Amino acid sequence: ETGVTQSPTHLIKTRGQQVTLRCSSQSGHNTVSWYQQALGQGPQFIFQYYREEENGRGNFPPRFSGLQFPNYSSELNVNALELDDSALYLCASSSPTQGEAKNIQYFGAGTRLSVL
Amino acid sequence: AQKITQTQPGMFVQEKEAVTLDCTYDTSDPSYGLFWYKQPSSGEMIFLIYQGSYDQQNATEGRYSLNFQKARKSANLVISASQLGDSAMYFCAMRRGRQAGTALIFGKGTTLSVSS
């Protein structure tokens, strides 16, 4: 158990709709990263939040947006859903206090999104 | 550009045998971190082991060890005494630099199947 929880576990949406995914980070962790994992692939970095500010972004369009709250939990929002957005969305939390070189990211079990 | 390559789509091993999962990486940064994660069918990414680019010794964590060959840019995971519960997808990942919270770059993964 990593202490990182994600909700919901599964979600079915139709093309064009909007979706919000949620993540509670491990206690004491102030950094949350979001990844998209398509079937049979490795996770791809979407963006990262550190102390409520976006702190890095991967190659994803602006319709992927996020928030981090004062308690360090986070949301991933996706607008205008496309069929290719169907994937497992993983959230990971980390903390610089682990040691700057190591900084292990601990993952939740993910939200499986299906876009029809 | 940074890249992780895992060339073994699937590996098969008998219980109690050792197995090596291959990982090569490409980066021009002198400082980086290498990670291995296990992903069971449930979806959660479980951290296994970490190796820093400046670490002189190979990392070990219980039955897991990392065969780090810096000149060859390889970071192979060795699992000793395989167990049925080791059946899962295994991902090699790299984090760039020493800054806190930098994104992970993942390979495509290797599926490990352990039989009795």
Side-chain angles (χ1 to χ4, degrees):
Chain A
E1 290 288 330
T2 64
V4 180
T5 57
Q6 292 187 242
S7 62
T9 53
H10 294 84
L11 205 50
I12 299 175
K13 291 286 188 177
T14 56
R15 199 170 55 179
Q17 284 189 313
Q18 178 265 342
V19 68
T20 297
L21 310 182
R22 294 178 176 83
C23 172
S24 294
S25 59
Q26 188 178 115
S27 178
H29 285 185
N30 56 16
T31 302
V32 172
S33 304
W34 286 92
Y35 294 82
Q36 180 195 66
Q37 186 179 17
L39 199 61
Q41 300 294 317
Q44 298 286 318
F45 173 67
I46 303 174
F47 46 56
Q48 183 176 84
Y49 280 82
Y50 171 64
R51 292 185 174 178
E52 303 178 58
E53 298 284 332
E54 189 177 290
N55 183 39
R57 190 177 182 94
N59 189 25
F60 280 82
R63 59 189 185 86
F64 285 78
S65 63
L67 280 174
Q68 188 179 30
F69 300 99
N71 66 354
Y72 303 131
S73 66
S74 177
E75 287 183 355
L76 164 65
N77 299 291
V78 188
N79 293 323
L81 283 168
E82 300 177 0
L83 298 179
D84 285 349
D85 296 334
S86 294
L88 179 67
Y89 288 84
L90 293 163
C91 163
S93 76
S94 59
S95 171
T97 58
Q98 293 174 34
E100 61 173 19
K102 205 166 181 179
N103 197 16
I104 296 164
Q105 294 192 17
Y106 294 95
F107 285 80
T111 294
R112 198 166 294 277
L113 173 65
S114 298
V115 182
L116 306 177
Chain B
Q2 295 178 314
K3 189 178 178 182
I4 293 283
T5 302
Q6 295 180 255
T7 57
Q8 306 155 313
M11 291 287 284
F12 298 87
V13 68
Q14 293 268 340
E15 222 178 346
K16 299 180 186 176
E17 289 183 348
V19 62
T20 298
L21 306 183
D22 294 342
C23 171
T24 58
Y25 61 92
D26 189 19
T27 181
S28 57
D29 290 330
S31 176
Y32 50 89
L34 295 159
F35 303 77
W36 277 92
Y37 284 86
K38 171 185 177 182
Q39 187 177 41
S41 56
S42 59
E44 184 173 355
M45 299 283 279
I46 301 167
F47 166 73
L48 296 178
I49 196 166
Y50 164 83
Q51 180 83 42
S53 58
Y54 293 118
D55 293 343
Q56 295 297 312
Q57 292 189 326
N58 288 341
T60 59
E61 291 282 352
R63 295 186 298 112
Y64 304 108
S65 60
L66 201 151
N67 184 1
F68 181 47
Q69 298 190 37
K70 196 169 181 177
R72 293 186 174 184
K73 293 190 174 179
S74 74
N76 298 338
L77 177 70
V78 180
I79 305 175
S80 63
S82 297
Q83 301 173 355
L84 295 178
D86 293 335
S87 294
M89 193 81 165
Y90 288 79
F91 289 96
C92 180
M94 176 169 62
R95 184 182 57 76
R96 184 178 60 194
R98 288 180 172 261
Q99 292 83 8
T102 309
L104 291 175
I105 302 163
F106 285 86
K108 291 189 175 182
T110 296
T111 302
L112 176 64
S113 299
V114 181
S115 58
S116 56

